[in-house]
Amino acid sequence: MNATDTSRFVRLQVELVLEISDPETLTGAALAHVTQDTHAEDVERTHAEAAVREDVAEALAHLVDPFDLISDVPGVELAQASWSSERIDYNPDALEWDLDEDDDEGPEGPV
């Protein structure tokens, strides 16, 4: 690949921290989603249902689809996607949760 070919691809990294306010509703929605998946084999569906019942992070992962984030963006096509979710300890006041920590911007903009 030359520079022209590779410059067409962009990696978009998004990090979200979500509060699960109603785990039963989330789990129910994920179970319904798994049940409606006509592409899944029975053994795969059974495994997914167990994972969703056991962990709300798994339930969330079954409901989130990266394609939904870009499906209405003109001029882009999803080439590859992967995602995961996990339970975390979250303190919004802690420095490690400062979302601007990777920005190299000073008061006048990018450095």
Side-chain angles (χ1 to χ4, degrees):
M1 271 190 201
N2 62 37
T4 304
D5 291 335
T6 60
S7 65
R8 298 179 332 168
F9 296 93
V10 173
R11 180 185 307 260
L12 173 66
Q13 293 181 317
V14 177
E15 183 170 337
L16 303 170
V17 175
L18 306 172
E19 180 180 358
I20 307 301
S21 59
D22 189 344
E24 291 81 18
T25 299
L26 174 63
T27 300
L31 286 170
H33 180 76
V34 168
T35 301
Q36 295 168 2
D37 185 359
T38 59
H39 295 67
E41 300 287 332
D42 287 341
V43 68
E44 185 180 2
R45 188 177 296 110
T46 300
H47 176 73
E49 288 172 349
V52 163
R53 283 188 181 96
E54 183 178 314
D55 188 358
V56 293
E58 283 291 329
L60 182 63
H62 279 277
L63 293 172
V64 172
D65 184 350
F67 179 75
D68 292 341
L69 296 173
I70 59 97
S71 61
D72 292 332
V73 177
V76 299
E77 182 177 323
L78 183 63
Q80 179 180 355
S82 66
W83 66 102
S84 65
S85 62
E86 63 184 341
R87 289 178 179 254
I88 59 168
D89 292 325
Y90 176 66
N91 176 356
D93 298 325
L95 289 177
E96 66 262 19
W97 291 103
D98 181 7
L99 295 179
D100 295 326
E101 70 185 33
D102 292 334
D103 292 347
D104 291 332
E105 291 190 16
E108 303 300 317
V111 178

